[in-house]
Amino acid sequence: MESVNNSMDGCDDIQGVLSTEVKSFFDSAPPLKDYDHFSEKLKLFISQNFQRSENQNSTRIVCVTSGGTTVPLEQRCVRYLDNFSSGHRGATSTEYFIKSGYAVIFLYRRGTCQPYSRNLGEETFLEYFEPSKGTEIQVRQSHDEEVKNAVRDYHTAAEKGMLLKLPFTTIFEYLQLLKLVALSMKCIGSGGIFYLAAAASDFFVPWDSMAEHKIQSSGGPLDMRLIPVPKLLSVLRNEWAPSAFYISFKLETDSEILLNKADMALKKYGMHAVVANELTTRKEEVVVVTSNKKITVRRCHQDEDVEKPLIELLIMQHSQYIQQKQLGNAYL
Ligand code: PAZ
């Protein structure tokens, strides 16, 4: 009897510490500048997609997070910590979700890869065009097809109301946006997916202990304390949008620990699938870890996207999840 009670108390304690950490993160974070604007856009996007579907149960919306978050070192930020993420995974996956009929809320790091323009090289962009008669500009013959396809696909997605883009830079903005999106998506139930491909910072400097002004180099070596970012996955999964389908990502550079870490994340946070990838091979191969199997997904050719077979597989798993939920409800 005693041991049962103790273990329950232990769980409550952990949950309690967790929610205190989460609460204090949000309480002390600088408020999101465009909160009301984003909130309105989300409401409209979700209600339009409800109306577009045959019935409310068939609405499919996925929140794709993409790119890395920064950790500011000063409140009037001159310097920050960053990570490698290019946003390629998120942008590419967004295109395949839209192609399969999902509306996408694309939560992306400013300046990273974007759906449909990810292959139009940033540095060589101007070379895609050439002046023609008078003041007109035309697409060079050599790039005609890729530019026209990109423009056509982007506008089709935008006109059909299937793509909503919300930008972030810092870890503070990212987590506040994720919370806002999750609370807005709660009404979608099992038709919602969270596809968490962003490389979110693991450590940060709390806003209230951060230097206000630019840190001076005349002060000698820089001594700074970074604390762990509270793990929001459990709160997201259990409280903010509990019926959605959850896919998180695990990146490692050491292949020996990758699958174990993915397994741990699956269990610890109650994810439905964890996509495990290694830094150097992430564009070629990933492993989808679920509670009963591990499936390796590879691209067949170097011109192909690994996201194509990956999204096909995940959509199949999502459909099974919806069916199970509906069967479960039928027996209630
Ligand atoms: O953004 P990108 O295409 O350069 O890389 C994708 C990725 C490796 C960031 C993503 O697949 C991923 O693993 N995200 C989670 C990273 C993490 O473990 O926090």
Side-chain angles (χ1 to χ4, degrees), residues 191-239:
I193 302 184
F194 284 83
Y195 181 87
L196 304 166
S201 320
D202 285 325
F203 299 96
F204 80 120
V205 183
W207 189 256
D208 37 22
S209 61
M210 195 185 293
E212 180 187 350
H213 291 284
K214 182 180 171 218
I215 297 168
Q216 297 298 309
S217 57
S218 52
L222 180 58
D223 229 348
M224 183 168 280
R225 188 173 149 78
L226 300 172
I227 66 164
V229 171
K231 298 288 180 205
L232 294 190
L233 273 190
S234 313
V235 188
L236 174 61
R237 167 84 180 84
N238 297 315
E239 291 176 29

mmCIF file of all heavy atoms in Angstrom, residues 191-239:
data_model
loop_
_atom_site.group_PDB
_atom_site.id
_atom_site.type_symbol
_atom_site.label_atom_id
_atom_site.label_comp_id
_atom_site.label_asym_id
_atom_site.label_seq_id
_atom_site.Cartn_x
_atom_site.Cartn_y
_atom_site.Cartn_z
ATOM 1 N N GLY A 191 -6.775 14.213 -35.894
ATOM 2 C CA GLY A 191 -6.402 14.623 -37.255
ATOM 3 C C GLY A 191 -5.169 15.508 -37.268
ATOM 4 O O GLY A 191 -4.623 15.808 -38.325
ATOM 5 N N GLY A 192 -4.705 15.939 -36.098
ATOM 6 C CA GLY A 192 -3.534 16.823 -36.014
ATOM 7 C C GLY A 192 -2.247 16.036 -35.852
ATOM 8 O O GLY A 192 -2.228 14.967 -35.244
ATOM 9 N N ILE A 193 -1.178 16.562 -36.440
ATOM 10 C CA ILE A 193 0.154 15.955 -36.257
ATOM 11 C C ILE A 193 1.121 17.042 -35.795
ATOM 12 O O ILE A 193 1.048 18.181 -36.261
ATOM 13 C CB ILE A 193 0.735 15.385 -37.579
ATOM 14 C CG1 ILE A 193 -0.165 14.331 -38.207
ATOM 15 C CG2 ILE A 193 2.130 14.816 -37.362
ATOM 16 C CD1 ILE A 193 0.441 13.680 -39.476
ATOM 17 N N PHE A 194 1.991 16.678 -34.881
ATOM 18 C CA PHE A 194 3.150 17.522 -34.578
ATOM 19 C C PHE A 194 4.377 16.808 -35.123
ATOM 20 O O PHE A 194 4.645 15.663 -34.742
ATOM 21 C CB PHE A 194 3.270 17.773 -33.071
ATOM 22 C CG PHE A 194 2.253 18.770 -32.622
ATOM 23 C CD1 PHE A 194 0.950 18.369 -32.336
ATOM 24 C CD2 PHE A 194 2.561 20.110 -32.561
ATOM 25 C CE1 PHE A 194 -0.011 19.292 -31.992
ATOM 26 C CE2 PHE A 194 1.606 21.044 -32.222
ATOM 27 C CZ PHE A 194 0.312 20.636 -31.931
ATOM 28 N N TYR A 195 5.075 17.464 -36.030
ATOM 29 C CA TYR A 195 6.261 16.897 -36.697
ATOM 30 C C TYR A 195 7.419 17.813 -36.303
ATOM 31 O O TYR A 195 7.628 18.879 -36.881
ATOM 32 C CB TYR A 195 5.985 16.914 -38.196
ATOM 33 C CG TYR A 195 7.057 16.363 -39.102
ATOM 34 C CD1 TYR A 195 7.122 15.006 -39.405
ATOM 35 C CD2 TYR A 195 7.989 17.214 -39.710
ATOM 36 C CE1 TYR A 195 8.090 14.509 -40.285
ATOM 37 C CE2 TYR A 195 8.952 16.723 -40.586
ATOM 38 C CZ TYR A 195 8.987 15.362 -40.865
ATOM 39 O OH TYR A 195 9.940 14.875 -41.747
ATOM 40 N N LEU A 196 8.119 17.400 -35.237
ATOM 41 C CA LEU A 196 9.007 18.333 -34.542
ATOM 42 C C LEU A 196 10.452 18.187 -35.026
ATOM 43 O O LEU A 196 11.296 17.594 -34.351
ATOM 44 C CB LEU A 196 8.880 18.084 -33.034
ATOM 45 C CG LEU A 196 7.428 18.194 -32.522
ATOM 46 C CD1 LEU A 196 7.280 17.618 -31.129
ATOM 47 C CD2 LEU A 196 6.950 19.645 -32.548
ATOM 48 N N ALA A 197 10.709 18.754 -36.207
ATOM 49 C CA ALA A 197 12.032 18.593 -36.824
ATOM 50 C C ALA A 197 12.992 19.725 -36.452
ATOM 51 O O ALA A 197 14.172 19.662 -36.796
ATOM 52 C CB ALA A 197 11.891 18.518 -38.343
ATOM 53 N N ALA A 198 12.498 20.744 -35.759
ATOM 54 C CA ALA A 198 13.393 21.861 -35.404
ATOM 55 C C ALA A 198 14.465 21.380 -34.433
ATOM 56 O O ALA A 198 14.225 20.494 -33.613
ATOM 57 C CB ALA A 198 12.585 22.987 -34.765
ATOM 58 N N ALA A 199 15.644 21.971 -34.559
ATOM 59 C CA ALA A 199 16.719 21.674 -33.604
ATOM 60 C C ALA A 199 16.638 22.734 -32.503
ATOM 61 O O ALA A 199 17.233 23.813 -32.605
ATOM 62 C CB ALA A 199 18.063 21.704 -34.304
ATOM 63 N N ALA A 200 15.837 22.415 -31.484
ATOM 64 C CA ALA A 200 15.613 23.394 -30.404
ATOM 65 C C ALA A 200 16.783 23.326 -29.420
ATOM 66 O O ALA A 200 17.285 22.242 -29.110
ATOM 67 C CB ALA A 200 14.304 23.078 -29.701
ATOM 68 N N SER A 201 17.209 24.485 -28.942
ATOM 69 C CA SER A 201 18.357 24.543 -28.010
ATOM 70 C C SER A 201 18.064 23.735 -26.758
ATOM 71 O O SER A 201 16.936 23.727 -26.251
ATOM 72 C CB SER A 201 18.608 25.987 -27.593
ATOM 73 O OG SER A 201 18.450 26.851 -28.684
ATOM 74 N N ASP A 202 19.088 23.068 -26.243
ATOM 75 C CA ASP A 202 18.926 22.301 -25.001
ATOM 76 C C ASP A 202 19.240 23.143 -23.772
ATOM 77 O O ASP A 202 18.807 22.835 -22.672
ATOM 78 C CB ASP A 202 19.860 21.083 -25.011
ATOM 79 C CG ASP A 202 19.336 19.998 -25.934
ATOM 80 O OD1 ASP A 202 18.103 19.849 -26.008
ATOM 81 O OD2 ASP A 202 20.150 19.330 -26.596
ATOM 82 N N PHE A 203 20.065 24.189 -23.952
ATOM 83 C CA PHE A 203 20.458 25.039 -22.821
ATOM 84 C C PHE A 203 20.182 26.495 -23.163
ATOM 85 O O PHE A 203 20.253 26.877 -24.335
ATOM 86 C CB PHE A 203 21.953 24.861 -22.514
ATOM 87 C CG PHE A 203 22.299 23.451 -22.139
ATOM 88 C CD1 PHE A 203 22.787 22.564 -23.093
ATOM 89 C CD2 PHE A 203 22.116 23.003 -20.829
ATOM 90 C CE1 PHE A 203 23.081 21.252 -22.757
ATOM 91 C CE2 PHE A 203 22.414 21.692 -20.485
ATOM 92 C CZ PHE A 203 22.897 20.817 -21.446
ATOM 93 N N PHE A 204 19.911 27.288 -22.146
ATOM 94 C CA PHE A 204 19.659 28.708 -22.406
ATOM 95 C C PHE A 204 20.031 29.558 -21.200
ATOM 96 O O PHE A 204 20.261 29.030 -20.105
ATOM 97 C CB PHE A 204 18.185 28.925 -22.787
ATOM 98 C CG PHE A 204 17.227 28.954 -21.616
ATOM 99 C CD1 PHE A 204 16.450 30.081 -21.361
ATOM 100 C CD2 PHE A 204 17.098 27.871 -20.756
ATOM 101 C CE1 PHE A 204 15.556 30.114 -20.299
ATOM 102 C CE2 PHE A 204 16.214 27.900 -19.677
ATOM 103 C CZ PHE A 204 15.449 29.017 -19.456
ATOM 104 N N VAL A 205 20.099 30.867 -21.433
ATOM 105 C CA VAL A 205 20.321 31.804 -20.336
ATOM 106 C C VAL A 205 18.948 32.387 -19.991
ATOM 107 O O VAL A 205 18.310 32.987 -20.858
ATOM 108 C CB VAL A 205 21.255 32.967 -20.763
ATOM 109 C CG1 VAL A 205 21.530 33.903 -19.581
ATOM 110 C CG2 VAL A 205 22.537 32.430 -21.364
ATOM 111 N N PRO A 206 18.472 32.177 -18.744
ATOM 112 C CA PRO A 206 17.153 32.720 -18.409
ATOM 113 C C PRO A 206 17.129 34.244 -18.589
ATOM 114 O O PRO A 206 18.129 34.907 -18.307
ATOM 115 C CB PRO A 206 16.982 32.341 -16.931
ATOM 116 C CG PRO A 206 17.928 31.213 -16.720
ATOM 117 C CD PRO A 206 19.072 31.437 -17.648
ATOM 118 N N TRP A 207 16.021 34.730 -19.091
ATOM 119 C CA TRP A 207 15.900 36.153 -19.430
ATOM 120 C C TRP A 207 16.233 37.044 -18.235
ATOM 121 O O TRP A 207 16.949 38.032 -18.363
ATOM 122 C CB TRP A 207 14.475 36.435 -19.913
ATOM 123 C CG TRP A 207 14.317 37.802 -20.493
ATOM 124 C CD1 TRP A 207 13.722 38.883 -19.915
ATOM 125 C CD2 TRP A 207 14.784 38.234 -21.775
ATOM 126 N NE1 TRP A 207 13.775 39.961 -20.748
ATOM 127 C CE2 TRP A 207 14.424 39.593 -21.905
ATOM 128 C CE3 TRP A 207 15.462 37.617 -22.825
ATOM 129 C CZ2 TRP A 207 14.724 40.353 -23.037
ATOM 130 C CZ3 TRP A 207 15.764 38.377 -23.963
ATOM 131 C CH2 TRP A 207 15.397 39.725 -24.057
ATOM 132 N N ASP A 208 15.753 36.643 -17.038
ATOM 133 C CA ASP A 208 15.959 37.545 -15.896
ATOM 134 C C ASP A 208 17.378 37.491 -15.324
ATOM 135 O O ASP A 208 17.737 38.329 -14.502
ATOM 136 C CB ASP A 208 14.889 37.346 -14.801
ATOM 137 C CG ASP A 208 14.500 35.903 -14.643
ATOM 138 O OD1 ASP A 208 15.316 35.048 -15.040
ATOM 139 O OD2 ASP A 208 13.388 35.622 -14.135
ATOM 140 N N SER A 209 18.199 36.513 -15.766
ATOM 141 C CA SER A 209 19.590 36.563 -15.289
ATOM 142 C C SER A 209 20.546 36.940 -16.425
ATOM 143 O O SER A 209 21.755 36.825 -16.308
ATOM 144 C CB SER A 209 19.994 35.228 -14.658
ATOM 145 O OG SER A 209 19.897 34.206 -15.616
ATOM 146 N N MET A 210 19.977 37.424 -17.533
ATOM 147 C CA MET A 210 20.789 37.756 -18.710
ATOM 148 C C MET A 210 21.265 39.214 -18.625
ATOM 149 O O MET A 210 20.522 40.072 -18.150
ATOM 150 C CB MET A 210 19.894 37.595 -19.948
ATOM 151 C CG MET A 210 20.603 37.542 -21.255
ATOM 152 S SD MET A 210 19.379 37.505 -22.589
ATOM 153 C CE MET A 210 18.599 35.922 -22.367
ATOM 154 N N ALA A 211 22.511 39.458 -19.090
ATOM 155 C CA ALA A 211 23.008 40.851 -19.135
ATOM 156 C C ALA A 211 22.082 41.664 -20.030
ATOM 157 O O ALA A 211 21.610 41.161 -21.047
ATOM 158 C CB ALA A 211 24.409 40.851 -19.723
ATOM 159 N N GLU A 212 21.828 42.925 -19.648
ATOM 160 C CA GLU A 212 20.963 43.730 -20.508
ATOM 161 C C GLU A 212 21.744 44.230 -21.732
ATOM 162 O O GLU A 212 21.294 44.103 -22.868
ATOM 163 C CB GLU A 212 20.398 44.928 -19.730
ATOM 164 C CG GLU A 212 19.482 45.781 -20.618
ATOM 165 C CD GLU A 212 19.018 47.070 -19.974
ATOM 166 O OE1 GLU A 212 19.238 47.246 -18.757
ATOM 167 O OE2 GLU A 212 18.465 47.906 -20.713
ATOM 168 N N HIS A 213 22.946 44.769 -21.469
ATOM 169 C CA HIS A 213 23.719 45.394 -22.551
ATOM 170 C C HIS A 213 24.791 44.457 -23.089
ATOM 171 O O HIS A 213 25.094 43.427 -22.476
ATOM 172 C CB HIS A 213 24.366 46.681 -22.035
ATOM 173 C CG HIS A 213 23.343 47.735 -21.752
ATOM 174 N ND1 HIS A 213 22.730 48.456 -22.739
ATOM 175 C CD2 HIS A 213 22.793 48.148 -20.574
ATOM 176 C CE1 HIS A 213 21.860 49.286 -22.191
ATOM 177 N NE2 HIS A 213 21.868 49.113 -20.884
ATOM 178 N N LYS A 214 25.386 44.863 -24.169
ATOM 179 C CA LYS A 214 26.461 44.077 -24.802
ATOM 180 C C LYS A 214 27.541 43.737 -23.768
ATOM 181 O O LYS A 214 28.020 44.627 -23.053
ATOM 182 C CB LYS A 214 27.059 44.904 -25.947
ATOM 183 C CG LYS A 214 28.132 44.165 -26.686
ATOM 184 C CD LYS A 214 28.697 44.999 -27.818
ATOM 185 C CE LYS A 214 29.915 44.262 -28.364
ATOM 186 N NZ LYS A 214 30.986 45.148 -28.736
ATOM 187 N N ILE A 215 27.891 42.466 -23.697
ATOM 188 C CA ILE A 215 28.902 42.040 -22.731
ATOM 189 C C ILE A 215 30.262 42.584 -23.170
ATOM 190 O O ILE A 215 30.624 42.482 -24.346
ATOM 191 C CB ILE A 215 28.931 40.492 -22.636
ATOM 192 C CG1 ILE A 215 27.579 39.984 -22.120
ATOM 193 C CG2 ILE A 215 30.062 40.026 -21.741
ATOM 194 C CD1 ILE A 215 27.388 38.481 -22.263
ATOM 195 N N GLN A 216 30.974 43.176 -22.220
ATOM 196 C CA GLN A 216 32.245 43.822 -22.545
ATOM 197 C C GLN A 216 33.408 42.837 -22.498
ATOM 198 O O GLN A 216 33.547 42.083 -21.536
ATOM 199 C CB GLN A 216 32.504 44.976 -21.555
ATOM 200 C CG GLN A 216 31.465 46.081 -21.638
ATOM 201 C CD GLN A 216 31.448 46.745 -23.019
ATOM 202 O OE1 GLN A 216 32.483 47.154 -23.538
ATOM 203 N NE2 GLN A 216 30.258 46.838 -23.631
ATOM 204 N N SER A 217 34.249 42.883 -23.507
ATOM 205 C CA SER A 217 35.388 41.952 -23.557
ATOM 206 C C SER A 217 36.479 42.379 -22.581
ATOM 207 O O SER A 217 37.338 41.579 -22.215
ATOM 208 C CB SER A 217 35.944 41.872 -24.966
ATOM 209 O OG SER A 217 36.305 43.167 -25.377
ATOM 210 N N SER A 218 36.431 43.635 -22.132
ATOM 211 C CA SER A 218 37.455 44.116 -21.186
ATOM 212 C C SER A 218 37.336 43.412 -19.830
ATOM 213 O O SER A 218 38.234 43.484 -19.010
ATOM 214 C CB SER A 218 37.313 45.622 -20.994
ATOM 215 O OG SER A 218 35.973 45.909 -20.658
ATOM 216 N N GLY A 219 36.246 42.686 -19.611
ATOM 217 C CA GLY A 219 36.030 41.999 -18.322
ATOM 218 C C GLY A 219 36.807 40.686 -18.200
ATOM 219 O O GLY A 219 36.645 39.964 -17.220
ATOM 220 N N GLY A 220 37.630 40.331 -19.201
ATOM 221 C CA GLY A 220 38.400 39.079 -19.138
ATOM 222 C C GLY A 220 37.565 37.908 -19.611
ATOM 223 O O GLY A 220 36.566 38.102 -20.323
ATOM 224 N N PRO A 221 37.937 36.666 -19.237
ATOM 225 C CA PRO A 221 37.226 35.476 -19.723
ATOM 226 C C PRO A 221 35.730 35.561 -19.407
ATOM 227 O O PRO A 221 35.352 36.085 -18.357
ATOM 228 C CB PRO A 221 37.867 34.321 -18.955
ATOM 229 C CG PRO A 221 39.141 34.861 -18.425
ATOM 230 C CD PRO A 221 38.991 36.336 -18.280
ATOM 231 N N LEU A 222 34.954 35.028 -20.321
ATOM 232 C CA LEU A 222 33.494 35.101 -20.137
ATOM 233 C C LEU A 222 33.007 33.867 -19.381
ATOM 234 O O LEU A 222 33.194 32.740 -19.826
ATOM 235 C CB LEU A 222 32.815 35.180 -21.510
ATOM 236 C CG LEU A 222 31.302 35.271 -21.530
ATOM 237 C CD1 LEU A 222 30.814 36.485 -20.747
ATOM 238 C CD2 LEU A 222 30.792 35.344 -22.967
ATOM 239 N N ASP A 223 32.421 34.118 -18.237
ATOM 240 C CA ASP A 223 31.900 33.043 -17.401
ATOM 241 C C ASP A 223 30.392 33.118 -17.472
ATOM 242 O O ASP A 223 29.821 34.148 -17.112
ATOM 243 C CB ASP A 223 32.334 33.319 -15.955
ATOM 244 C CG ASP A 223 32.936 32.093 -15.348
ATOM 245 O OD1 ASP A 223 32.804 31.030 -15.957
ATOM 246 O OD2 ASP A 223 33.542 32.219 -14.260
ATOM 247 N N MET A 224 29.757 32.055 -17.948
ATOM 248 C CA MET A 224 28.307 32.187 -18.143
ATOM 249 C C MET A 224 27.635 30.882 -17.786
ATOM 250 O O MET A 224 28.158 29.809 -18.088
ATOM 251 C CB MET A 224 28.079 32.502 -19.608
ATOM 252 C CG MET A 224 26.659 32.722 -19.941
ATOM 253 S SD MET A 224 26.558 33.415 -21.566
ATOM 254 C CE MET A 224 26.938 35.109 -21.238
ATOM 255 N N ARG A 225 26.481 30.975 -17.138
ATOM 256 C CA ARG A 225 25.800 29.747 -16.738
ATOM 257 C C ARG A 225 24.577 29.540 -17.631
ATOM 258 O O ARG A 225 23.684 30.385 -17.704
ATOM 259 C CB ARG A 225 25.364 29.894 -15.280
ATOM 260 C CG ARG A 225 24.827 28.637 -14.684
ATOM 261 C CD ARG A 225 24.593 28.867 -13.190
ATOM 262 N NE ARG A 225 23.493 28.066 -12.709
ATOM 263 C CZ ARG A 225 23.573 26.773 -12.450
ATOM 264 N NH1 ARG A 225 24.710 26.142 -12.617
ATOM 265 N NH2 ARG A 225 22.522 26.113 -12.019
ATOM 266 N N LEU A 226 24.570 28.390 -18.302
ATOM 267 C CA LEU A 226 23.408 28.042 -19.127
ATOM 268 C C LEU A 226 22.651 26.945 -18.392
ATOM 269 O O LEU A 226 23.270 26.018 -17.861
ATOM 270 C CB LEU A 226 23.849 27.513 -20.487
ATOM 271 C CG LEU A 226 24.676 28.447 -21.359
ATOM 272 C CD1 LEU A 226 25.200 27.724 -22.586
ATOM 273 C CD2 LEU A 226 23.832 29.613 -21.814
ATOM 274 N N ILE A 227 21.354 27.042 -18.368
ATOM 275 C CA ILE A 227 20.590 25.982 -17.696
ATOM 276 C C ILE A 227 19.758 25.213 -18.730
ATOM 277 O O ILE A 227 19.503 25.720 -19.830
ATOM 278 C CB ILE A 227 19.703 26.538 -16.543
ATOM 279 C CG1 ILE A 227 18.607 27.437 -17.102
ATOM 280 C CG2 ILE A 227 20.531 27.292 -15.511
ATOM 281 C CD1 ILE A 227 17.499 27.693 -16.098
ATOM 282 N N PRO A 228 19.340 23.982 -18.373
ATOM 283 C CA PRO A 228 18.584 23.205 -19.370
ATOM 284 C C PRO A 228 17.244 23.869 -19.701
ATOM 285 O O PRO A 228 16.586 24.413 -18.815
ATOM 286 C CB PRO A 228 18.332 21.867 -18.661
ATOM 287 C CG PRO A 228 19.305 21.820 -17.539
ATOM 288 C CD PRO A 228 19.590 23.234 -17.132
ATOM 289 N N VAL A 229 16.892 23.821 -20.953
ATOM 290 C CA VAL A 229 15.565 24.297 -21.382
ATOM 291 C C VAL A 229 14.554 23.278 -20.853
ATOM 292 O O VAL A 229 14.767 22.068 -21.008
ATOM 293 C CB VAL A 229 15.498 24.359 -22.932
ATOM 294 C CG1 VAL A 229 14.089 24.642 -23.412
ATOM 295 C CG2 VAL A 229 16.466 25.400 -23.454
ATOM 296 N N PRO A 230 13.471 23.720 -20.187
ATOM 297 C CA PRO A 230 12.514 22.742 -19.677
ATOM 298 C C PRO A 230 11.968 21.864 -20.802
ATOM 299 O O PRO A 230 11.735 22.349 -21.907
ATOM 300 C CB PRO A 230 11.400 23.588 -19.054
ATOM 301 C CG PRO A 230 11.677 24.983 -19.414
ATOM 302 C CD PRO A 230 13.078 25.096 -19.931
ATOM 303 N N LYS A 231 11.813 20.586 -20.515
ATOM 304 C CA LYS A 231 11.338 19.649 -21.539
ATOM 305 C C LYS A 231 9.832 19.812 -21.699
ATOM 306 O O LYS A 231 9.049 19.398 -20.835
ATOM 307 C CB LYS A 231 11.664 18.207 -21.140
ATOM 308 C CG LYS A 231 13.154 17.958 -21.018
ATOM 309 C CD LYS A 231 13.815 17.934 -22.395
ATOM 310 C CE LYS A 231 15.310 17.683 -22.285
ATOM 311 N NZ LYS A 231 16.071 18.206 -23.430
ATOM 312 N N LEU A 232 9.438 20.418 -22.785
ATOM 313 C CA LEU A 232 8.012 20.720 -22.968
ATOM 314 C C LEU A 232 7.242 19.609 -23.658
ATOM 315 O O LEU A 232 6.018 19.662 -23.715
ATOM 316 C CB LEU A 232 7.860 21.990 -23.810
ATOM 317 C CG LEU A 232 8.354 23.276 -23.179
ATOM 318 C CD1 LEU A 232 7.939 24.454 -24.003
ATOM 319 C CD2 LEU A 232 7.785 23.423 -21.783
ATOM 320 N N LEU A 233 7.985 18.598 -24.162
ATOM 321 C CA LEU A 233 7.294 17.565 -24.942
ATOM 322 C C LEU A 233 6.161 16.907 -24.157
ATOM 323 O O LEU A 233 5.093 16.661 -24.700
ATOM 324 C CB LEU A 233 8.285 16.496 -25.401
ATOM 325 C CG LEU A 233 9.007 16.748 -26.714
ATOM 326 C CD1 LEU A 233 9.762 15.514 -27.158
ATOM 327 C CD2 LEU A 233 8.009 17.152 -27.795
ATOM 328 N N SER A 234 6.407 16.643 -22.861
ATOM 329 C CA SER A 234 5.361 15.976 -22.073
ATOM 330 C C SER A 234 4.134 16.873 -21.930
ATOM 331 O O SER A 234 3.002 16.400 -21.999
ATOM 332 C CB SER A 234 5.830 15.647 -20.658
ATOM 333 O OG SER A 234 7.062 15.062 -20.691
ATOM 334 N N VAL A 235 4.390 18.163 -21.708
ATOM 335 C CA VAL A 235 3.258 19.085 -21.521
ATOM 336 C C VAL A 235 2.484 19.222 -22.834
ATOM 337 O O VAL A 235 1.248 19.197 -22.852
ATOM 338 C CB VAL A 235 3.770 20.480 -21.062
ATOM 339 C CG1 VAL A 235 2.621 21.376 -20.669
ATOM 340 C CG2 VAL A 235 4.764 20.345 -19.941
ATOM 341 N N LEU A 236 3.231 19.339 -23.906
ATOM 342 C CA LEU A 236 2.621 19.436 -25.235
ATOM 343 C C LEU A 236 1.743 18.213 -25.497
ATOM 344 O O LEU A 236 0.572 18.312 -25.870
ATOM 345 C CB LEU A 236 3.768 19.520 -26.255
ATOM 346 C CG LEU A 236 3.464 19.500 -27.739
ATOM 347 C CD1 LEU A 236 2.606 20.679 -28.124
ATOM 348 C CD2 LEU A 236 4.762 19.549 -28.556
ATOM 349 N N ARG A 237 2.337 17.071 -25.259
ATOM 350 C CA ARG A 237 1.689 15.782 -25.557
ATOM 351 C C ARG A 237 0.487 15.506 -24.651
ATOM 352 O O ARG A 237 -0.539 15.019 -25.094
ATOM 353 C CB ARG A 237 2.769 14.701 -25.379
ATOM 354 C CG ARG A 237 2.314 13.298 -25.334
ATOM 355 C CD ARG A 237 2.158 12.783 -26.739
ATOM 356 N NE ARG A 237 1.718 11.406 -26.717
ATOM 357 C CZ ARG A 237 0.459 11.034 -26.590
ATOM 358 N NH1 ARG A 237 -0.503 11.939 -26.480
ATOM 359 N NH2 ARG A 237 0.148 9.756 -26.598
ATOM 360 N N ASN A 238 0.641 15.844 -23.364
ATOM 361 C CA ASN A 238 -0.404 15.454 -22.413
ATOM 362 C C ASN A 238 -1.427 16.544 -22.137
ATOM 363 O O ASN A 238 -2.553 16.254 -21.751
ATOM 364 C CB ASN A 238 0.214 15.016 -21.087
ATOM 365 C CG ASN A 238 1.075 13.790 -21.285
ATOM 366 O OD1 ASN A 238 0.672 12.861 -21.968
ATOM 367 N ND2 ASN A 238 2.283 13.805 -20.730
ATOM 368 N N GLU A 239 -1.006 17.812 -22.291
ATOM 369 C CA GLU A 239 -1.947 18.872 -21.901
ATOM 370 C C GLU A 239 -2.407 19.761 -23.054
ATOM 371 O O GLU A 239 -3.589 20.051 -23.178
ATOM 372 C CB GLU A 239 -1.300 19.773 -20.830
ATOM 373 C CG GLU A 239 -1.114 19.051 -19.505
ATOM 374 C CD GLU A 239 -0.400 19.897 -18.483
ATOM 375 O OE1 GLU A 239 -0.510 21.138 -18.540
ATOM 376 O OE2 GLU A 239 0.286 19.305 -17.631
#
